[in-house]
Amino acid sequence: MTASRNDRPVRKSVKVLFVCLGNICRSPMAEGIFRHLLRQASLDDRVKIDSAGTHAYHVDEPPDARAQAALDQRGIDISTLRGRKVTPTDIEIFDYVLAMDRENLKNLMAICPPGAASKIRLFMEYASNCSEQEVPDPYFGDSGGFDRVFDLIEDAASGLLADIRARYHLTA
Ligand code: 4NP
């Protein structure tokens, strides 16, 4: 953070981390969808994004085939992403640490370094076209669940981009 313009901190970049349980369904989908949105807004070099899981079950694995298929249908490729587990250092480094559900939020709070808790939010807080407060875990359901997850994430992603623009003055 340096100077301020219109009361917004001037930043070269803002960092966003999406977090779910396994880092193979919801959070890599959010990463892919939000990156796509940032490219359309020519902000992909200003907003740095990543995703991680609260558990290590799927470390180094690619996203679930159903998650990849749901995004492939919309022209978004997440096949090169690999699972990793979130760390307390992530919460220090990232400006936004966005949990897909309340269980993820609770697990993030449990490892949160002092003074960083305000960065941890439910991702669906940024949605405006639906009343859901959580992105439901689609892992044990059918492929229709992944389409629903896509719609929820797309809604919250637009609100998140608006929040970043409102809170930060992004500059070269
Ligand atoms: P995600 O979905 O948290 O959206 O990646 C899950 C992936 C794997 C498991 C649970 C949820 N699992 O139990 O292995």
Side-chain angles (χ1 to χ4, degrees), residues 124-157:
M124 288 306 291
E125 278 183 33
Y126 298 96
S128 55
N129 297 317
C130 61
S131 57
E132 277 89 338
Q133 293 183 317
E134 301 179 287
V135 182
D137 183 348
Y139 185 66
F140 293 106
D142 60 23
S143 63
F146 286 80
D147 291 329
R148 180 70 186 139
V149 165
F150 185 97
D151 292 342
L152 295 173
I153 290 173
E154 194 174 45
D155 184 358

PDB file of all heavy atoms in Angstrom, residues 124-157:
ATOM      1  N   MET A 124     -19.749 -16.251  -1.014  1.00  0.00           N
ATOM      2  CA  MET A 124     -21.101 -15.909  -1.461  1.00  0.00           C
ATOM      3  C   MET A 124     -21.592 -14.570  -0.919  1.00  0.00           C
ATOM      4  O   MET A 124     -22.634 -14.075  -1.352  1.00  0.00           O
ATOM      5  CB  MET A 124     -22.089 -17.040  -1.134  1.00  0.00           C
ATOM      6  CG  MET A 124     -21.930 -18.289  -2.006  1.00  0.00           C
ATOM      7  SD  MET A 124     -21.981 -17.967  -3.787  1.00  0.00           S
ATOM      8  CE  MET A 124     -23.696 -17.507  -4.005  1.00  0.00           C
ATOM      9  N   GLU A 125     -20.846 -13.950   0.004  1.00  0.00           N
ATOM     10  CA  GLU A 125     -21.188 -12.580   0.434  1.00  0.00           C
ATOM     11  C   GLU A 125     -21.201 -11.624  -0.755  1.00  0.00           C
ATOM     12  O   GLU A 125     -21.843 -10.577  -0.708  1.00  0.00           O
ATOM     13  CB  GLU A 125     -20.148 -12.050   1.432  1.00  0.00           C
ATOM     14  CG  GLU A 125     -20.352 -12.511   2.841  1.00  0.00           C
ATOM     15  CD  GLU A 125     -19.323 -11.872   3.768  1.00  0.00           C
ATOM     16  OE1 GLU A 125     -18.914 -10.717   3.519  1.00  0.00           O
ATOM     17  OE2 GLU A 125     -18.934 -12.549   4.725  1.00  0.00           O
ATOM     18  N   TYR A 126     -20.456 -11.951  -1.798  1.00  0.00           N
ATOM     19  CA  TYR A 126     -20.335 -11.049  -2.943  1.00  0.00           C
ATOM     20  C   TYR A 126     -21.400 -11.284  -4.010  1.00  0.00           C
ATOM     21  O   TYR A 126     -21.461 -10.557  -4.993  1.00  0.00           O
ATOM     22  CB  TYR A 126     -18.929 -11.174  -3.565  1.00  0.00           C
ATOM     23  CG  TYR A 126     -17.870 -10.762  -2.584  1.00  0.00           C
ATOM     24  CD1 TYR A 126     -17.199 -11.706  -1.812  1.00  0.00           C
ATOM     25  CD2 TYR A 126     -17.580  -9.417  -2.368  1.00  0.00           C
ATOM     26  CE1 TYR A 126     -16.258 -11.339  -0.867  1.00  0.00           C
ATOM     27  CE2 TYR A 126     -16.647  -9.040  -1.426  1.00  0.00           C
ATOM     28  CZ  TYR A 126     -15.989 -10.002  -0.689  1.00  0.00           C
ATOM     29  OH  TYR A 126     -15.077  -9.619   0.243  1.00  0.00           O
ATOM     30  N   ALA A 127     -22.228 -12.320  -3.825  1.00  0.00           N
ATOM     31  CA  ALA A 127     -23.280 -12.605  -4.816  1.00  0.00           C
ATOM     32  C   ALA A 127     -24.442 -11.643  -4.636  1.00  0.00           C
ATOM     33  O   ALA A 127     -24.712 -11.187  -3.526  1.00  0.00           O
ATOM     34  CB  ALA A 127     -23.764 -14.046  -4.653  1.00  0.00           C
ATOM     35  N   SER A 128     -25.128 -11.338  -5.739  1.00  0.00           N
ATOM     36  CA  SER A 128     -26.265 -10.422  -5.624  1.00  0.00           C
ATOM     37  C   SER A 128     -27.533 -10.977  -6.248  1.00  0.00           C
ATOM     38  O   SER A 128     -28.608 -10.431  -6.050  1.00  0.00           O
ATOM     39  CB  SER A 128     -25.923  -9.072  -6.255  1.00  0.00           C
ATOM     40  OG  SER A 128     -25.496  -9.265  -7.572  1.00  0.00           O
ATOM     41  N   ASN A 129     -27.432 -12.062  -7.005  1.00  0.00           N
ATOM     42  CA  ASN A 129     -28.621 -12.586  -7.692  1.00  0.00           C
ATOM     43  C   ASN A 129     -29.181 -13.855  -7.071  1.00  0.00           C
ATOM     44  O   ASN A 129     -30.012 -14.532  -7.671  1.00  0.00           O
ATOM     45  CB  ASN A 129     -28.296 -12.858  -9.172  1.00  0.00           C
ATOM     46  CG  ASN A 129     -27.933 -11.572  -9.886  1.00  0.00           C
ATOM     47  OD1 ASN A 129     -28.577 -10.550  -9.686  1.00  0.00           O
ATOM     48  ND2 ASN A 129     -26.890 -11.619 -10.683  1.00  0.00           N
ATOM     49  N   CYS A 130     -28.685 -14.239  -5.910  1.00  0.00           N
ATOM     50  CA  CYS A 130     -29.202 -15.449  -5.264  1.00  0.00           C
ATOM     51  C   CYS A 130     -29.082 -15.285  -3.753  1.00  0.00           C
ATOM     52  O   CYS A 130     -28.327 -14.445  -3.271  1.00  0.00           O
ATOM     53  CB  CYS A 130     -28.452 -16.692  -5.739  1.00  0.00           C
ATOM     54  SG  CYS A 130     -26.721 -16.630  -5.375  1.00  0.00           S
ATOM     55  N   SER A 131     -29.826 -16.113  -3.026  1.00  0.00           N
ATOM     56  CA  SER A 131     -29.858 -15.959  -1.563  1.00  0.00           C
ATOM     57  C   SER A 131     -28.906 -16.927  -0.855  1.00  0.00           C
ATOM     58  O   SER A 131     -28.748 -16.847   0.356  1.00  0.00           O
ATOM     59  CB  SER A 131     -31.279 -16.162  -1.058  1.00  0.00           C
ATOM     60  OG  SER A 131     -31.722 -17.435  -1.461  1.00  0.00           O
ATOM     61  N   GLU A 132     -28.285 -17.833  -1.604  1.00  0.00           N
ATOM     62  CA  GLU A 132     -27.372 -18.796  -0.983  1.00  0.00           C
ATOM     63  C   GLU A 132     -26.209 -18.086  -0.294  1.00  0.00           C
ATOM     64  O   GLU A 132     -25.657 -17.124  -0.841  1.00  0.00           O
ATOM     65  CB  GLU A 132     -26.783 -19.758  -2.031  1.00  0.00           C
ATOM     66  CG  GLU A 132     -27.677 -20.915  -2.364  1.00  0.00           C
ATOM     67  CD  GLU A 132     -28.619 -20.591  -3.509  1.00  0.00           C
ATOM     68  OE1 GLU A 132     -28.873 -19.387  -3.767  1.00  0.00           O
ATOM     69  OE2 GLU A 132     -29.102 -21.548  -4.144  1.00  0.00           O
ATOM     70  N   GLN A 133     -25.833 -18.588   0.870  1.00  0.00           N
ATOM     71  CA  GLN A 133     -24.676 -18.015   1.561  1.00  0.00           C
ATOM     72  C   GLN A 133     -23.453 -18.917   1.456  1.00  0.00           C
ATOM     73  O   GLN A 133     -22.351 -18.532   1.853  1.00  0.00           O
ATOM     74  CB  GLN A 133     -25.033 -17.766   3.021  1.00  0.00           C
ATOM     75  CG  GLN A 133     -26.097 -16.670   3.136  1.00  0.00           C
ATOM     76  CD  GLN A 133     -26.427 -16.330   4.555  1.00  0.00           C
ATOM     77  OE1 GLN A 133     -26.573 -17.216   5.389  1.00  0.00           O
ATOM     78  NE2 GLN A 133     -26.505 -15.059   4.845  1.00  0.00           N
ATOM     79  N   GLU A 134     -23.666 -20.137   0.933  1.00  0.00           N
ATOM     80  CA  GLU A 134     -22.552 -21.084   0.778  1.00  0.00           C
ATOM     81  C   GLU A 134     -22.593 -21.671  -0.627  1.00  0.00           C
ATOM     82  O   GLU A 134     -23.668 -21.810  -1.217  1.00  0.00           O
ATOM     83  CB  GLU A 134     -22.685 -22.229   1.776  1.00  0.00           C
ATOM     84  CG  GLU A 134     -22.717 -21.802   3.227  1.00  0.00           C
ATOM     85  CD  GLU A 134     -22.872 -22.998   4.147  1.00  0.00           C
ATOM     86  OE1 GLU A 134     -23.963 -23.565   4.200  1.00  0.00           O
ATOM     87  OE2 GLU A 134     -21.885 -23.361   4.797  1.00  0.00           O
ATOM     88  N   VAL A 135     -21.439 -22.065  -1.139  1.00  0.00           N
ATOM     89  CA  VAL A 135     -21.380 -22.851  -2.374  1.00  0.00           C
ATOM     90  C   VAL A 135     -21.424 -24.311  -1.932  1.00  0.00           C
ATOM     91  O   VAL A 135     -20.500 -24.781  -1.256  1.00  0.00           O
ATOM     92  CB  VAL A 135     -20.081 -22.579  -3.170  1.00  0.00           C
ATOM     93  CG1 VAL A 135     -20.086 -23.392  -4.467  1.00  0.00           C
ATOM     94  CG2 VAL A 135     -19.931 -21.086  -3.472  1.00  0.00           C
ATOM     95  N   PRO A 136     -22.501 -25.048  -2.268  1.00  0.00           N
ATOM     96  CA  PRO A 136     -22.635 -26.426  -1.759  1.00  0.00           C
ATOM     97  C   PRO A 136     -21.563 -27.356  -2.327  1.00  0.00           C
ATOM     98  O   PRO A 136     -21.164 -27.212  -3.480  1.00  0.00           O
ATOM     99  CB  PRO A 136     -24.034 -26.844  -2.215  1.00  0.00           C
ATOM    100  CG  PRO A 136     -24.372 -25.933  -3.349  1.00  0.00           C
ATOM    101  CD  PRO A 136     -23.624 -24.654  -3.127  1.00  0.00           C
ATOM    102  N   ASP A 137     -21.129 -28.291  -1.493  1.00  0.00           N
ATOM    103  CA  ASP A 137     -20.106 -29.257  -1.913  1.00  0.00           C
ATOM    104  C   ASP A 137     -20.712 -30.217  -2.952  1.00  0.00           C
ATOM    105  O   ASP A 137     -21.644 -30.949  -2.641  1.00  0.00           O
ATOM    106  CB  ASP A 137     -19.656 -30.029  -0.667  1.00  0.00           C
ATOM    107  CG  ASP A 137     -18.542 -31.006  -0.975  1.00  0.00           C
ATOM    108  OD1 ASP A 137     -18.269 -31.259  -2.157  1.00  0.00           O
ATOM    109  OD2 ASP A 137     -17.954 -31.524  -0.009  1.00  0.00           O
ATOM    110  N   PRO A 138     -20.201 -30.218  -4.196  1.00  0.00           N
ATOM    111  CA  PRO A 138     -20.796 -31.058  -5.239  1.00  0.00           C
ATOM    112  C   PRO A 138     -20.156 -32.448  -5.346  1.00  0.00           C
ATOM    113  O   PRO A 138     -20.570 -33.266  -6.167  1.00  0.00           O
ATOM    114  CB  PRO A 138     -20.486 -30.262  -6.513  1.00  0.00           C
ATOM    115  CG  PRO A 138     -19.137 -29.662  -6.221  1.00  0.00           C
ATOM    116  CD  PRO A 138     -19.092 -29.396  -4.728  1.00  0.00           C
ATOM    117  N   TYR A 139     -19.154 -32.737  -4.514  1.00  0.00           N
ATOM    118  CA  TYR A 139     -18.294 -33.908  -4.723  1.00  0.00           C
ATOM    119  C   TYR A 139     -19.065 -35.222  -4.722  1.00  0.00           C
ATOM    120  O   TYR A 139     -18.807 -36.100  -5.538  1.00  0.00           O
ATOM    121  CB  TYR A 139     -17.205 -33.928  -3.647  1.00  0.00           C
ATOM    122  CG  TYR A 139     -16.168 -35.016  -3.811  1.00  0.00           C
ATOM    123  CD1 TYR A 139     -15.291 -35.005  -4.892  1.00  0.00           C
ATOM    124  CD2 TYR A 139     -16.052 -36.045  -2.881  1.00  0.00           C
ATOM    125  CE1 TYR A 139     -14.329 -35.985  -5.041  1.00  0.00           C
ATOM    126  CE2 TYR A 139     -15.086 -37.027  -3.019  1.00  0.00           C
ATOM    127  CZ  TYR A 139     -14.228 -37.001  -4.099  1.00  0.00           C
ATOM    128  OH  TYR A 139     -13.278 -37.976  -4.235  1.00  0.00           O
ATOM    129  N   PHE A 140     -20.047 -35.353  -3.791  1.00  0.00           N
ATOM    130  CA  PHE A 140     -20.745 -36.634  -3.675  1.00  0.00           C
ATOM    131  C   PHE A 140     -22.047 -36.667  -4.469  1.00  0.00           C
ATOM    132  O   PHE A 140     -22.809 -37.616  -4.378  1.00  0.00           O
ATOM    133  CB  PHE A 140     -20.998 -36.962  -2.193  1.00  0.00           C
ATOM    134  CG  PHE A 140     -19.720 -37.217  -1.436  1.00  0.00           C
ATOM    135  CD1 PHE A 140     -19.214 -36.273  -0.549  1.00  0.00           C
ATOM    136  CD2 PHE A 140     -18.989 -38.381  -1.643  1.00  0.00           C
ATOM    137  CE1 PHE A 140     -18.020 -36.492   0.124  1.00  0.00           C
ATOM    138  CE2 PHE A 140     -17.795 -38.608  -0.973  1.00  0.00           C
ATOM    139  CZ  PHE A 140     -17.307 -37.666  -0.081  1.00  0.00           C
ATOM    140  N   GLY A 141     -22.308 -35.614  -5.277  1.00  0.00           N
ATOM    141  CA  GLY A 141     -23.536 -35.563  -6.061  1.00  0.00           C
ATOM    142  C   GLY A 141     -23.302 -35.884  -7.528  1.00  0.00           C
ATOM    143  O   GLY A 141     -22.267 -36.438  -7.903  1.00  0.00           O
ATOM    144  N   ASP A 142     -24.281 -35.510  -8.379  1.00  0.00           N
ATOM    145  CA  ASP A 142     -24.135 -35.762  -9.817  1.00  0.00           C
ATOM    146  C   ASP A 142     -23.630 -34.494 -10.529  1.00  0.00           C
ATOM    147  O   ASP A 142     -23.403 -33.468  -9.901  1.00  0.00           O
ATOM    148  CB  ASP A 142     -25.459 -36.262 -10.425  1.00  0.00           C
ATOM    149  CG  ASP A 142     -26.583 -35.253 -10.265  1.00  0.00           C
ATOM    150  OD1 ASP A 142     -26.285 -34.045 -10.112  1.00  0.00           O
ATOM    151  OD2 ASP A 142     -27.757 -35.664 -10.295  1.00  0.00           O
ATOM    152  N   SER A 143     -23.513 -34.580 -11.864  1.00  0.00           N
ATOM    153  CA  SER A 143     -22.888 -33.470 -12.579  1.00  0.00           C
ATOM    154  C   SER A 143     -23.747 -32.206 -12.538  1.00  0.00           C
ATOM    155  O   SER A 143     -23.239 -31.098 -12.700  1.00  0.00           O
ATOM    156  CB  SER A 143     -22.587 -33.865 -14.022  1.00  0.00           C
ATOM    157  OG  SER A 143     -23.785 -34.145 -14.688  1.00  0.00           O
ATOM    158  N   GLY A 144     -25.064 -32.369 -12.300  1.00  0.00           N
ATOM    159  CA  GLY A 144     -25.931 -31.185 -12.185  1.00  0.00           C
ATOM    160  C   GLY A 144     -25.485 -30.274 -11.063  1.00  0.00           C
ATOM    161  O   GLY A 144     -25.638 -29.045 -11.147  1.00  0.00           O
ATOM    162  N   GLY A 145     -24.930 -30.851 -10.023  1.00  0.00           N
ATOM    163  CA  GLY A 145     -24.437 -30.052  -8.905  1.00  0.00           C
ATOM    164  C   GLY A 145     -23.325 -29.118  -9.329  1.00  0.00           C
ATOM    165  O   GLY A 145     -23.187 -28.000  -8.799  1.00  0.00           O
ATOM    166  N   PHE A 146     -22.546 -29.556 -10.289  1.00  0.00           N
ATOM    167  CA  PHE A 146     -21.423 -28.724 -10.758  1.00  0.00           C
ATOM    168  C   PHE A 146     -21.924 -27.540 -11.586  1.00  0.00           C
ATOM    169  O   PHE A 146     -21.334 -26.463 -11.560  1.00  0.00           O
ATOM    170  CB  PHE A 146     -20.421 -29.581 -11.546  1.00  0.00           C
ATOM    171  CG  PHE A 146     -19.598 -30.468 -10.655  1.00  0.00           C
ATOM    172  CD1 PHE A 146     -20.112 -31.672 -10.169  1.00  0.00           C
ATOM    173  CD2 PHE A 146     -18.317 -30.097 -10.273  1.00  0.00           C
ATOM    174  CE1 PHE A 146     -19.362 -32.480  -9.328  1.00  0.00           C
ATOM    175  CE2 PHE A 146     -17.557 -30.900  -9.432  1.00  0.00           C
ATOM    176  CZ  PHE A 146     -18.083 -32.099  -8.952  1.00  0.00           C
ATOM    177  N   ASP A 147     -23.033 -27.741 -12.305  1.00  0.00           N
ATOM    178  CA  ASP A 147     -23.615 -26.616 -13.054  1.00  0.00           C
ATOM    179  C   ASP A 147     -24.174 -25.577 -12.088  1.00  0.00           C
ATOM    180  O   ASP A 147     -24.043 -24.365 -12.318  1.00  0.00           O
ATOM    181  CB  ASP A 147     -24.715 -27.115 -13.996  1.00  0.00           C
ATOM    182  CG  ASP A 147     -24.143 -27.936 -15.134  1.00  0.00           C
ATOM    183  OD1 ASP A 147     -23.000 -27.653 -15.553  1.00  0.00           O
ATOM    184  OD2 ASP A 147     -24.814 -28.873 -15.592  1.00  0.00           O
ATOM    185  N   ARG A 148     -24.797 -26.050 -11.003  1.00  0.00           N
ATOM    186  CA  ARG A 148     -25.312 -25.122  -9.981  1.00  0.00           C
ATOM    187  C   ARG A 148     -24.151 -24.359  -9.345  1.00  0.00           C
ATOM    188  O   ARG A 148     -24.224 -23.145  -9.144  1.00  0.00           O
ATOM    189  CB  ARG A 148     -26.091 -25.912  -8.922  1.00  0.00           C
ATOM    190  CG  ARG A 148     -26.657 -25.051  -7.812  1.00  0.00           C
ATOM    191  CD  ARG A 148     -27.799 -24.184  -8.319  1.00  0.00           C
ATOM    192  NE  ARG A 148     -28.261 -23.246  -7.296  1.00  0.00           N
ATOM    193  CZ  ARG A 148     -28.580 -21.976  -7.543  1.00  0.00           C
ATOM    194  NH1 ARG A 148     -28.489 -21.481  -8.760  1.00  0.00           N
ATOM    195  NH2 ARG A 148     -29.003 -21.195  -6.587  1.00  0.00           N
ATOM    196  N   VAL A 149     -23.066 -25.078  -9.035  1.00  0.00           N
ATOM    197  CA  VAL A 149     -21.872 -24.426  -8.472  1.00  0.00           C
ATOM    198  C   VAL A 149     -21.351 -23.366  -9.437  1.00  0.00           C
ATOM    199  O   VAL A 149     -20.989 -22.255  -9.025  1.00  0.00           O
ATOM    200  CB  VAL A 149     -20.789 -25.488  -8.153  1.00  0.00           C
ATOM    201  CG1 VAL A 149     -19.427 -24.840  -7.921  1.00  0.00           C
ATOM    202  CG2 VAL A 149     -21.199 -26.316  -6.933  1.00  0.00           C
ATOM    203  N   PHE A 150     -21.357 -23.693 -10.736  1.00  0.00           N
ATOM    204  CA  PHE A 150     -20.883 -22.713 -11.730  1.00  0.00           C
ATOM    205  C   PHE A 150     -21.691 -21.420 -11.625  1.00  0.00           C
ATOM    206  O   PHE A 150     -21.128 -20.318 -11.574  1.00  0.00           O
ATOM    207  CB  PHE A 150     -20.999 -23.285 -13.152  1.00  0.00           C
ATOM    208  CG  PHE A 150     -20.421 -22.362 -14.190  1.00  0.00           C
ATOM    209  CD1 PHE A 150     -19.140 -22.538 -14.672  1.00  0.00           C
ATOM    210  CD2 PHE A 150     -21.155 -21.273 -14.660  1.00  0.00           C
ATOM    211  CE1 PHE A 150     -18.598 -21.660 -15.611  1.00  0.00           C
ATOM    212  CE2 PHE A 150     -20.623 -20.388 -15.591  1.00  0.00           C
ATOM    213  CZ  PHE A 150     -19.345 -20.593 -16.064  1.00  0.00           C
ATOM    214  N   ASP A 151     -23.021 -21.554 -11.591  1.00  0.00           N
ATOM    215  CA  ASP A 151     -23.886 -20.360 -11.567  1.00  0.00           C
ATOM    216  C   ASP A 151     -23.655 -19.530 -10.307  1.00  0.00           C
ATOM    217  O   ASP A 151     -23.600 -18.291 -10.370  1.00  0.00           O
ATOM    218  CB  ASP A 151     -25.361 -20.772 -11.651  1.00  0.00           C
ATOM    219  CG  ASP A 151     -25.699 -21.370 -13.008  1.00  0.00           C
ATOM    220  OD1 ASP A 151     -24.934 -21.154 -13.968  1.00  0.00           O
ATOM    221  OD2 ASP A 151     -26.732 -22.066 -13.104  1.00  0.00           O
ATOM    222  N   LEU A 152     -23.520 -20.193  -9.155  1.00  0.00           N
ATOM    223  CA  LEU A 152     -23.293 -19.476  -7.903  1.00  0.00           C
ATOM    224  C   LEU A 152     -21.957 -18.734  -7.938  1.00  0.00           C
ATOM    225  O   LEU A 152     -21.855 -17.572  -7.545  1.00  0.00           O
ATOM    226  CB  LEU A 152     -23.327 -20.449  -6.713  1.00  0.00           C
ATOM    227  CG  LEU A 152     -24.680 -21.123  -6.436  1.00  0.00           C
ATOM    228  CD1 LEU A 152     -24.534 -22.176  -5.347  1.00  0.00           C
ATOM    229  CD2 LEU A 152     -25.729 -20.088  -6.041  1.00  0.00           C
ATOM    230  N   ILE A 153     -20.934 -19.415  -8.422  1.00  0.00           N
ATOM    231  CA  ILE A 153     -19.600 -18.801  -8.480  1.00  0.00           C
ATOM    232  C   ILE A 153     -19.595 -17.618  -9.453  1.00  0.00           C
ATOM    233  O   ILE A 153     -19.006 -16.572  -9.175  1.00  0.00           O
ATOM    234  CB  ILE A 153     -18.538 -19.848  -8.883  1.00  0.00           C
ATOM    235  CG1 ILE A 153     -18.329 -20.843  -7.734  1.00  0.00           C
ATOM    236  CG2 ILE A 153     -17.217 -19.170  -9.261  1.00  0.00           C
ATOM    237  CD1 ILE A 153     -17.417 -22.014  -8.074  1.00  0.00           C
ATOM    238  N   GLU A 154     -20.266 -17.784 -10.591  1.00  0.00           N
ATOM    239  CA  GLU A 154     -20.302 -16.697 -11.581  1.00  0.00           C
ATOM    240  C   GLU A 154     -20.940 -15.443 -10.971  1.00  0.00           C
ATOM    241  O   GLU A 154     -20.448 -14.321 -11.170  1.00  0.00           O
ATOM    242  CB  GLU A 154     -21.107 -17.155 -12.795  1.00  0.00           C
ATOM    243  CG  GLU A 154     -20.945 -16.267 -13.993  1.00  0.00           C
ATOM    244  CD  GLU A 154     -21.642 -16.843 -15.207  1.00  0.00           C
ATOM    245  OE1 GLU A 154     -22.792 -17.311 -15.081  1.00  0.00           O
ATOM    246  OE2 GLU A 154     -21.022 -16.821 -16.284  1.00  0.00           O
ATOM    247  N   ASP A 155     -21.995 -15.632 -10.200  1.00  0.00           N
ATOM    248  CA  ASP A 155     -22.680 -14.514  -9.544  1.00  0.00           C
ATOM    249  C   ASP A 155     -21.726 -13.835  -8.545  1.00  0.00           C
ATOM    250  O   ASP A 155     -21.512 -12.613  -8.589  1.00  0.00           O
ATOM    251  CB  ASP A 155     -23.934 -15.064  -8.844  1.00  0.00           C
ATOM    252  CG  ASP A 155     -24.794 -13.980  -8.210  1.00  0.00           C
ATOM    253  OD1 ASP A 155     -24.427 -12.792  -8.269  1.00  0.00           O
ATOM    254  OD2 ASP A 155     -25.843 -14.333  -7.636  1.00  0.00           O
ATOM    255  N   ALA A 156     -21.126 -14.620  -7.656  1.00  0.00           N
ATOM    256  CA  ALA A 156     -20.248 -14.044  -6.632  1.00  0.00           C
ATOM    257  C   ALA A 156     -18.994 -13.419  -7.257  1.00  0.00           C
ATOM    258  O   ALA A 156     -18.479 -12.413  -6.753  1.00  0.00           O
ATOM    259  CB  ALA A 156     -19.864 -15.110  -5.612  1.00  0.00           C
ATOM    260  N   ALA A 157     -18.512 -13.988  -8.363  1.00  0.00           N
ATOM    261  CA  ALA A 157     -17.292 -13.476  -9.000  1.00  0.00           C
ATOM    262  C   ALA A 157     -17.497 -12.049  -9.506  1.00  0.00           C
ATOM    263  O   ALA A 157     -16.606 -11.195  -9.369  1.00  0.00           O
ATOM    264  CB  ALA A 157     -16.868 -14.397 -10.150  1.00  0.00           C
TER     265      ALA A 157
END
